[in-house]
Amino acid sequence: MVWVVPDLEWEVRRKPLTSENFLVQSIQGASVNERQGLRMRSFNPAAAGAILFALAMPSHGHAQDQAYLKRYGGDWEGGGRVQIEQLPKPVDVSCETAGTVETANEFKLAGECSAMLVLSNDIGAELKVDPKTGEYSGVYTGSKSGPATLLGTRNGDRLELEVTWNKVIYDDDTARMTIENEGEGQFLMTVTERIDGEDVVVSDLTFERQGG
């Protein structure tokens, strides 16, 4: 047999007395004028303003991405070492490229690299950022296999991108590209491939802004 004491049963079954329940119970048990006063006192302008501000802000640091993209505008010269698939070891290259900030969310690099006075190759990248997610996507030109797709994110001053080639190069059809720009008139671009099961840097270029 179970003995039930009505008052104790009500105490167990009712909801815990939180601040929200207290407000509801107070309003339900108050007069019309008292209800209006309770509702007004429960409204916090500062808290409401903070909520509206948070809702209005984009989900990603869009302003930071816009400022970052502007770093690539202008004319650049540089070079470094590149592994050419047909050659047994890396060669030194010199490069010229121009950076254009197409829109607030997009930039383009286009230029040329040359090696050993007889080899030359167009290089370029077009990238745009999704202001909602912070994801970067675009196209890289410079491979003999044709344009490659780029997809990745920004980590501070560095873009970390996955490259997907139009065909298998070395072990597979993907590579990793990093582009780092600290906003001091220089940026670095490296490409890492998987070769015989190991990560190998096949392109390591440094660019300096020209004309200030």
Side-chain angles (χ1 to χ4, degrees), residues 149-180:
T149 60
L150 300 173
L151 186 65
T153 57
R154 179 176 60 86
N155 183 9
D157 296 320
R158 186 173 64 252
L159 294 176
E160 300 174 345
L161 306 166
E162 181 179 84
V163 186
T164 302
W165 309 114
N166 279 332
K167 67 175 185 179
V168 172
I169 299 177
Y170 300 111
D171 285 13
D172 52 34
D173 64 348
T174 63
R176 295 197 315 274
M177 176 184 290
T178 62
I179 307 175
E180 186 168 3

Side-chain angles (χ1 to χ4, degrees), residues 80-84 87-93 116 200-203:
R81 294 182 68 80
V82 173
Q83 175 68 57
I84 299 176
L87 300 179
K89 60 182 181 179
V91 298
D92 293 326
V93 300
M116 299 186 297
V200 178
V201 176
V202 296
S203 177

Side-chain angles (χ1 to χ4, degrees), residues 74-86:
D75 296 325
W76 304 82
E77 290 184 3
R81 294 182 68 80
V82 173
Q83 175 68 57
I84 299 176
E85 191 173 10
Q86 296 85 350

